[in-house]
Amino acid sequence: MGQEKAAVEAQMILRRRLCNPSFIFSIFSQSPDSNYSKLKYIISSSVTEASNNSVLLLGPRGCGKTAVLDLVLEELVEEHAEMVTVIKLNGLLHSDDNCALKEIARQLCLENQLLFSKMASFDDNSLFLLSMLRECGLAHKTIIFVLDEFDLFAQGKQRLLYSLLDAMQSVTSQAVVVGVSCRLDADQLLEKRVRSRFSHRKLLFLPSSREDLQRVLEHVLLLPTDSRLPQDYTATFNAKLLKLLADDKFKEIIDTLSYSDSTVGHLVRFLFHAVSHMNLNSGGFLSLEIFKAALPSLQRQPKLEGLKDCSILELYILVCMKRLEVKELESINFNSIMKEYKSVHDTFRTSDYYARKVCLRAFEHLIECALISFEDNKGHGQSVEFRPVKLLITWHELYQGLKSYNFCPSILHRLMDREGVSAV
Amino acid sequence: MSKEESPQINRRTTRSSYSNTPNSKTTAEDSKTTINQAQSLSINDFVYGDESKTLDELINSFPRRRTQILQLISLLGPLNSPMIPLFIYGGASTGKTSVILQMFKHLNRPFIYCSCVTCYSPRILFESILNQLFLHRKNVSNGYVSAKRCEKPSDFVNLLREALSTFVGSLKGNLGKSSSKKLSSPVNGIMVYLIFDNFELVRDWDKSATMLPFLFNLYDILKMPEVGLIFVSKTSPDTFQSDPGYAEPFPVYFPDYTEDDLRQIFMKNQANPKLYSSFLEYVSQFKRFKLFVYFLFILNRAVLGHFCRTTRRIDELSTAFSPLFKKYCEPLGDLGTVPSGDMKRELFKHLQPFISPCMNETFNVTSQSFCKASAYKDRTKRNSIAKKLGIESSDDFDLHMSTSAKYLLISAFLASRNPATLDASLFDSTGGPDARKRKRKSTEKSKEKKETKEQELLLKGPGTFPLERLLAIFQCIADYSPDGEEMQDGGLLYEDCDTGLMSDILLQLSSLCNANFISKGASCPLEGSIRYRSTVSEDIALKVARSLKFPLSKYLYR
């Protein structure tokens, strides 16, 4: 196997790992005080002790709530093959009670080789669920309900949550409800009757610390020694990588990355960019340059990019809007901007004075690229010229944007400087 | 030499028609068609049927998009490698869609393309994706129904998962077959890519609050490494923020072309499909290819810089240039000639006066008026520059409507502009507008008041009015007649229609509403009647008034 082929193979391995959250988070399964161990203890004890239980996993996106849960469930299903049934729901899909019950019934039927009827009503399904819970309880089987995006189930009447948790109050049933949410106040959203039936177990998933990120890096990027890759390639790759990970400059990059967002998900996106550019410019090894190049592609400043894409006329309009904003007018619309534009033209005799229609088109471009927006969504009867608009960029962003714009007319700079003095 | 097809065409054709047509070739030399009409769809229809492009061809066909292409290729990765969702964004006409589609032509990997322009609701989007996956095509024999009926995201996910797993299974089978039989299948790999184009439109859907996080999280929900998601949008990811948040896809940015890039693109004339296609007819007809190149050269040297100050979009620039080119060719009577140096200078001199008016009318040029002007060209010799450029000039503006509809339009305009309290003094039978003039004095205070009023008008736009007020004003101004001769005419007219006035006027009003000259607002909660608002600008109202010889300005409160 040649070097190039080995490099492609290595890239494939790394990409597969990065796209598989279970692999990434499996690193946390060893330590005893991790969320993994706690969650496993909670669920497996309720499986073995045949009790009902409920738990919430809370934390920002990209911290591995679902991944850890999946790992735990996978292991439990392996350990207690016949005793565990997992029903997975997602708030984005099943926030409607009717739909959720149907999906529960469908998955239960699938698990137990029963015939599922699409035509079953809400009532039928809920009766079916109750009888299934009882049957499973009698057979000492545990049903685990996973409710992803738990906060979305708490909208409306919460009938699903109520019926699930209420069914779990009886001795015969044997079920675990696991809620996953990125809203830390998810349990506060519950109604009183639901909340009182809910055990207030919560596991908090927090963005990782620096040391944890370092461990994740090693875990994900080091190539396995027992793969099909040639030994010497793997050895050089790993040696280079370890040297890189210890490098202070590399640590700096990771620090800047985690400064804005230190979740593992963010790190994974960063690594994905680095890994996918691995073969392009540095011969199949990960180098500092690759990681350096990956950083700006994640830390984008969309408003400044949008400003760079503007034409000069559009910049004029933005500056005029900013001037009007500084004057503290109640509302701004196209007509008042045109008035300001005309007065700017009259005082400074600029070369860029265009017809109203051209300006209107430029104005529409600005709305399209979301640098400005209408203040309300309702004014459909009104024509565009009269609808009030607002700027979506700050003075500072506009100032920066004008500075970095290549051929920005100096008059705009002067106008902005003047506004800056009066604004500060 | 092969050229990218215009993105417009890409978006409008279905996949099957791209694989059938020799799409990417617009030059004549490549016109040999290899139509292999796909009678029954197979997996091979998921890639472009024609010979694939090499990477160099791909990069060459998109000037100034090299970095983006290389970045995308490396993010898509080698064959069969999983991918996290990508989010491609950048302004209009920066080549996002064409680059990604042509890239799949280069890679020959199966993909599913759906644009949120045509799939304008969740149901249509879901069904379109499923139809493509199930190799189902709507036709007469199946009564144009979709393969599966699917409205809810939950059903969609179940069906999609099922469809994808069978599809990936068949890809794997295909792979096994082709490797054993040494048959080169056109389809590469076992990954399926879903491309959502015009994704920014999803924000305006009714269910955007649930659809956006759902589509962004689709990758996590499906948990299938064989699926790659690509979102293409005109606006940046930060404009998609929603309360519950979502798993952020990886951003890839397509910057707008800079002035230098545009210069290159316009010089490399074939590389710009839109401009090229609009001239294609000319070029083939008159063999003015060389001339066209000179024209572009002039554009680059003299004109482009000016135009770039207002817009940097290729599509808009090329529509602006097309009448200029026509103008440029005009003095050349002989069609086949190649202009010499002197001639070129003369041509440029001829062109020069048209440049600046054209710039201010840049966006006025619609294809319709362009066609119209060329149709009229033989009939009348037009004088004004604007007319020569194919722009409808304001003088010959004519609204084809009945006199009473015109009066109705004017009265709606008056009702929108004037405060309701002044109606009595403006339209009373004794003096009309003169009575008001006496009253008004230009004191400091009134001037100030006038200014604030103007400011308000500028901000608030036309006011609303109930139907009764409109009819009252209409009755007043329809009685009005400027002089004796008109009196007879007008008098006759309105005597005639006096009997059927009300029903007729209401019909006229509803047709004006339909034509969007008058907008119908929601009913006022207090009064309970529907309120109207005139949407015509003052210029148009004045023109209409002039055509009726009605002194509108006298009645306008200023």
Side-chain angles (χ1 to χ4, degrees):
Chain A
M1 199 187 273
Q3 167 93 11
E4 249 174 60
K5 235 178 166 183
V8 171
E9 184 76 11
Q11 192 186 20
M12 291 280 282
I13 290 176
L14 294 181
R15 280 176 74 115
R16 240 176 247 142
R17 282 179 176 179
L18 287 173
C19 291
N20 181 3
S22 304
F23 176 82
I24 296 164
F25 287 98
S26 63
I27 182 175
F28 296 119
S29 61
Q30 275 94 38
S31 64
D33 56 344
S34 67
N35 277 326
Y36 172 85
S37 323
K38 286 179 200 161
L39 183 64
K40 178 139 192 240
Y41 174 74
I42 291 174
I43 300 182
S44 68
S45 65
S46 32
V47 171
T48 47
E49 287 163 23
S51 59
N52 293 307
N53 213 337
S54 52
V55 63
L56 271 183
L57 314 183
L58 305 176
R61 284 184 196 277
C63 291
K65 301 178 293 294
T66 322
V68 167
L69 178 63
D70 283 347
L71 277 175
V72 168
L73 291 179
E74 204 176 298
E75 209 157 295
L76 279 177
V77 170
E78 236 167 65
E79 276 173 29
H80 316 273
E82 286 298 296
M83 288 172 64
V84 183
T85 311
V86 181
I87 306 292
K88 285 188 178 172
L89 297 182
N90 192 316
L92 288 170
L93 309 176
H94 313 108
S95 58
D96 171 30
D97 292 327
N98 209 344
C99 189
L101 262 182
K102 200 173 253 182
E103 179 66 19
I104 291 177
R106 195 186 70 86
Q107 292 192 19
L108 276 174
C109 290
L110 205 70
E111 284 282 326
N112 299 298
Q113 285 98 37
L114 297 169
L115 204 63
F116 169 63
S117 160
K118 268 188 191 170
M119 304 304 290
S121 66
F122 183 80
D123 196 40
D124 295 339
N125 282 332
S126 68
L127 280 178
F128 173 72
L129 170 64
L130 287 181
S131 58
M132 275 308 283
L133 274 173
R134 201 174 47 244
E135 289 299 319
C136 287
L138 290 175
H140 292 291
K141 275 187 178 177
T142 304
I143 302 182
I144 301 176
F145 293 97
V146 176
L147 306 180
D148 208 344
E149 312 284 344
F150 182 76
D151 47 319
L152 295 178
F153 286 102
Q155 292 168 340
K157 293 259 182 222
Q158 308 184 353
R159 274 194 302 181
L160 175 83
L161 288 179
Y162 178 73
S163 52
L164 272 184
L165 291 169
D166 194 46
M168 284 164 53
Q169 300 300 309
S170 70
V171 212
T172 48
S173 73
Q174 193 177 329
V176 182
V177 171
V178 185
V180 180
S181 172
C182 57
R183 270 188 77 163
L184 296 188
D185 63 342
D187 57 332
Q188 302 302 312
L189 299 172
L190 298 175
E191 270 176 31
K192 198 177 150 213
R193 57 173 190 164
V194 179
R195 203 184 307 162
S196 64
R197 286 169 171 79
F198 189 78
S199 84
H200 287 270
R201 282 191 193 84
K202 282 183 269 184
L203 285 179
L204 209 55
F205 285 73
L206 291 175
S208 317
S209 63
R210 206 173 151 189
E211 290 72 33
D212 281 345
L213 285 184
Q214 195 72 15
R215 279 172 59 207
V216 170
L217 277 173
E218 278 179 34
H219 174 66
V220 172
L221 293 182
L222 281 180
L223 287 178
T225 41
D226 53 349
S227 66
R228 295 193 292 132
L229 293 169
Q231 285 299 320
D232 51 337
Y233 176 80
T234 313
T236 4
F237 186 95
N238 286 349
K240 275 197 175 186
L241 187 73
L242 284 175
K243 209 175 124 208
L244 184 70
L245 290 182
D247 191 347
D248 279 340
K249 277 184 190 153
F250 180 77
K251 279 183 181 157
E252 226 169 75
I253 292 177
I254 297 296
D255 282 347
T256 7
L257 184 78
S258 51
Y259 185 69
S260 61
D261 183 356
S262 69
T263 58
V264 176
H266 192 61
L267 181 76
V268 164
R269 254 172 284 141
F270 168 72
L271 292 181
F272 183 79
H273 186 277
V275 165
S276 53
H277 286 73
M278 186 170 97
N279 292 338
L280 204 64
N281 22 13
S282 61
F285 296 105
L286 289 168
S287 64
L288 192 64
E289 286 72 44
I290 291 179
F291 288 103
K292 255 187 198 159
L295 199 56
S297 66
L298 263 189
Q299 297 185 325
R300 298 212 153 268
Q301 288 177 304
K303 293 292 178 212
L304 286 185
E305 285 167 353
L307 274 178
K308 262 199 184 135
D309 287 350
C310 283
S311 66
I312 288 175
L313 177 59
E314 284 157 18
L315 290 182
Y316 266 102
I317 291 179
L318 286 176
V319 170
C320 287
M321 278 188 82
K322 200 79 229 175
R323 278 169 66 92
L324 288 174
E325 214 171 61
V326 170
K327 282 183 192 166
E328 291 181 349
L329 289 181
E330 286 156 42
S331 67
I332 307 171
N333 66 11
F334 179 68
N335 282 333
S336 52
I337 294 167
M338 283 324 286
K339 210 177 158 197
E340 181 71 20
Y341 178 60
K342 195 168 178 321
S343 76
V344 165
H345 172 71
D346 288 344
T347 29
F348 298 99
R349 292 276 136 219
T350 57
S351 58
D352 297 282
Y353 190 70
Y354 299 101
R356 195 183 156 86
K357 272 174 192 155
V358 181
C359 295
L360 187 61
R361 181 62 78 96
F363 183 73
E364 279 165 355
H365 280 186
L366 286 174
I367 288 174
E368 197 176 88
C369 64
L371 286 172
I372 61 180
S373 75
F374 291 121
E375 262 178 12
D376 49 356
N377 287 325
K378 47 183 193 282
H380 291 302
Q382 285 270 41
S383 48
V384 183
E385 294 109 295
F386 296 111
R387 290 178 66 182
V389 288
K390 59 183 175 205
L391 264 182
L392 295 180
I393 47 173
T394 60
W395 179 83
H396 187 71
E397 278 170 322
L398 185 54
Y399 185 74
Q400 285 283 322
L402 288 179
K403 272 219 158 141
S404 56
Y405 199 87
N406 274 343
F407 305 100
C408 179
S410 59
I411 178 72
L412 286 180
H413 285 302
R414 263 191 284 150
L415 284 174
M416 271 318 273
D417 283 341
R418 202 181 288 176
E419 291 315 319
V421 171
S422 53
V424 169
Chain B
M1 280 280 145
S2 87
K3 295 307 125 231
E4 74 214 280
E5 60 193 316
S6 85
Q8 219 74 53
I9 292 168
N10 265 338
R11 279 185 208 124
R12 281 176 192 169
T13 48
T14 59
R15 181 205 325 291
S16 51
S17 54
Y18 346 113
S19 55
N20 291 342
T21 50
N23 43 47
S24 65
K25 323 285 180 191
T26 46
T27 44
E29 51 153 346
D30 289 309
S31 60
K32 47 180 180 27
T33 51
T34 50
I35 294 174
N36 43 348
Q37 188 68 40
Q39 294 301 343
S40 60
L41 295 167
S42 71
I43 289 170
N44 295 353
D45 288 315
F46 279 81
V47 295
Y48 283 105
D50 306 340
E51 69 281 15
S52 68
K53 287 185 155 193
T54 62
L55 185 59
D56 285 338
E57 269 174 5
L58 182 70
I59 290 171
N60 283 334
S61 61
F62 292 97
R64 299 286 176 145
R65 281 286 167 261
R66 188 189 167 81
T67 24
Q68 280 78 29
I69 291 174
L70 289 180
Q71 191 189 5
L72 276 176
I73 293 252
S74 54
L75 285 173
L76 288 175
L79 209 58
N80 299 341
S81 62
M83 178 186 85
I84 61 175
L86 297 184
F87 187 92
I88 302 175
Y89 68 102
S93 81
T94 47
K96 303 177 292 294
T97 307
S98 346
V99 164
I100 194 79
L101 288 177
Q102 292 299 311
M103 188 169 292
F104 276 97
K105 186 178 168 66
H106 159 63
L107 294 170
N108 269 338
R109 296 186 195 169
F111 69 96
I112 287 169
Y113 174 84
C114 46
S115 157
C116 296
V117 174
T118 47
C119 304
Y120 53 87
S121 76
R123 186 181 156 190
I124 298 174
L125 179 72
F126 296 159
E127 290 184 356
S128 139
I129 293 173
L130 291 173
N131 282 344
Q132 294 186 43
L133 269 176
F134 282 118
L135 304 169
H136 171 94
R137 194 189 280 166
K138 293 183 190 178
N139 55 24
V140 188
S141 59
N142 54 30
Y144 296 101
V145 286
S146 305
K148 295 272 181 200
R149 194 189 144 80
C150 154
E151 223 159 328
K152 287 183 186 153
S154 53
D155 299 337
F156 173 64
V157 166
N158 288 335
L159 289 169
L160 183 67
R161 203 177 269 140
E162 185 190 313
L164 280 173
S165 50
T166 49
F167 185 75
V168 170
S170 65
L171 280 177
K172 277 179 185 157
N174 192 24
L175 198 71
K177 240 187 345 200
S178 65
S179 62
S180 61
K181 285 184 187 170
K182 297 281 174 210
L183 256 171
S184 63
S185 165
V187 185
N188 266 337
I190 54 163
M191 287 280 291
V192 186
Y193 297 87
L194 294 181
I195 304 173
F196 296 92
D197 200 358
N198 299 98
F199 197 65
E200 74 279 355
L201 293 175
V202 180
R203 287 181 307 171
D204 303 330
W205 289 2
D206 288 344
K207 291 178 182 164
S208 65
T210 53
M211 277 305 285
L212 273 181
F214 164 64
L215 287 175
F216 275 127
N217 281 332
L218 188 60
Y219 185 74
D220 292 335
I221 291 172
L222 283 175
K223 290 202 174 101
M224 295 178 79
E226 295 92 355
V227 181
L229 297 181
I230 299 169
F231 302 99
V232 181
S233 158
K234 263 185 218 151
T235 56
S236 54
D238 67 322
T239 56
F240 286 90
Q241 260 151 16
S242 63
D243 265 347
Y246 49 82
E248 280 174 52
F250 192 89
V252 179
Y253 176 56
F254 275 59
D256 254 8
Y257 297 109
T258 63
E259 204 181 308
D260 286 339
D261 299 347
L262 287 174
R263 232 170 262 273
Q264 272 209 354
I265 292 168
F266 277 105
M267 261 330 266
K268 197 175 180 256
N269 52 52
Q270 311 98 309
N272 171 27
K274 281 183 189 162
L275 183 62
Y276 186 60
S277 62
S278 64
F279 293 139
L280 201 62
E281 203 185 327
Y282 270 115
V283 173
S284 60
Q285 207 176 339
F286 302 131
K287 309 249 182 303
R288 282 181 182 171
F289 197 76
K290 275 248 168 79
L291 190 63
F292 180 55
V293 174
Y294 289 130
F295 171 69
L296 285 172
F297 185 68
I298 287 179
L299 273 187
N300 280 328
R301 281 236 324 265
V303 187
L304 190 62
H306 290 292
F307 276 94
C308 276
R309 292 177 89 90
T310 60
T311 185
R312 294 210 321 244
R313 287 195 191 168
I314 289 194
D315 47 359
E316 288 177 355
L317 285 174
S318 52
T319 40
F321 290 159
S322 68
L324 272 180
F325 177 59
K326 211 175 144 195
K327 204 66 225 156
Y328 182 74
C329 297
E330 210 164 64
L332 281 177
D334 188 14
L335 302 179
T337 50
V338 173
S340 59
D342 263 5
M343 190 70 179
K344 264 189 264 171
R345 226 165 294 135
E346 213 168 275
L347 281 176
F348 183 61
K349 239 187 230 163
H350 174 75
L351 185 68
Q352 219 161 16
F354 298 103
I355 291 173
S356 64
C358 182
M359 190 148 67
N360 269 342
E361 299 286 345
T362 304
F363 310 112
N364 219 6
V365 188
T366 57
S367 55
Q368 202 192 350
S369 70
F370 183 75
C371 299
K372 245 190 204 164
S374 55
Y376 285 137
K377 211 173 78 179
D378 311 326
R379 216 170 60 192
T380 48
K381 200 79 192 159
R382 305 204 166 208
N383 297 324
S384 83
I385 287 165
K387 265 186 255 174
K388 277 190 180 175
L389 279 169
I391 299 151
E392 287 231 44
S393 87
S394 42
D395 295 337
D396 60 41
F397 160 89
D398 190 25
L399 282 172
H400 295 281
M401 42 168 134
S402 65
T403 317
S404 62
K406 282 181 182 172
Y407 271 113
L408 199 58
L409 193 66
I410 292 175
S411 37
F413 177 74
L414 282 174
S416 266
R417 286 301 142 96
N418 291 343
T421 45
L422 282 177
D423 280 355
S425 64
L426 278 172
F427 298 111
D428 68 348
S429 49
T430 53
D434 305 325
R436 188 170 55 94
K437 260 182 195 160
R438 240 183 297 127
K439 219 167 36 183
R440 232 170 63 189
K441 287 172 209 155
S442 61
T443 56
E444 285 288 299
K445 212 174 176 186
S446 72
K447 250 187 195 168
E448 223 169 77
K449 237 182 187 172
K450 209 175 109 188
E451 242 163 56
T452 50
K453 271 270 160 56
E454 248 169 42
Q455 194 67 34
E456 241 169 61
L457 188 72
L458 220 56
L459 281 176
K460 263 170 52 192
T464 59
F465 50 86
L467 181 64
E468 291 77 17
R469 193 176 157 216
L470 175 71
L471 291 178
I473 294 180
F474 175 73
Q475 211 118 43
C476 288
I477 65 169
D479 283 343
Y480 175 84
S481 47
D483 52 45
E485 198 187 328
E486 284 288 313
M487 171 86 100
Q488 281 185 342
D489 264 20
L492 216 76
L493 179 67
Y494 290 104
E495 263 165 38
D496 278 353
C497 53
D498 233 10
T499 46
L501 183 75
M502 287 321 278
S503 65
D504 189 39
I505 289 308
L506 289 179
L507 274 179
Q508 299 268 19
L509 179 65
S510 75
S511 62
L512 281 179
C513 284
N514 286 339
N516 216 7
F517 285 117
I518 298 175
S519 76
K520 211 171 176 177
S523 65
C524 169
L526 286 179
E527 292 173 35
S529 61
I530 295 176
R531 296 188 75 90
Y532 296 85
R533 187 201 299 273
S534 142
T535 55
V536 293
S537 71
E538 197 170 333
D539 300 342
I540 293 180
L542 281 172
K543 269 169 216 156
V544 173
R546 211 176 302 138
S547 73
L548 290 173
K549 302 219 169 80
F550 174 77
L552 178 65
S553 44
K554 267 200 213 168
Y555 287 93
L556 270 180
Y557 172 72
R558 295 193 188 265

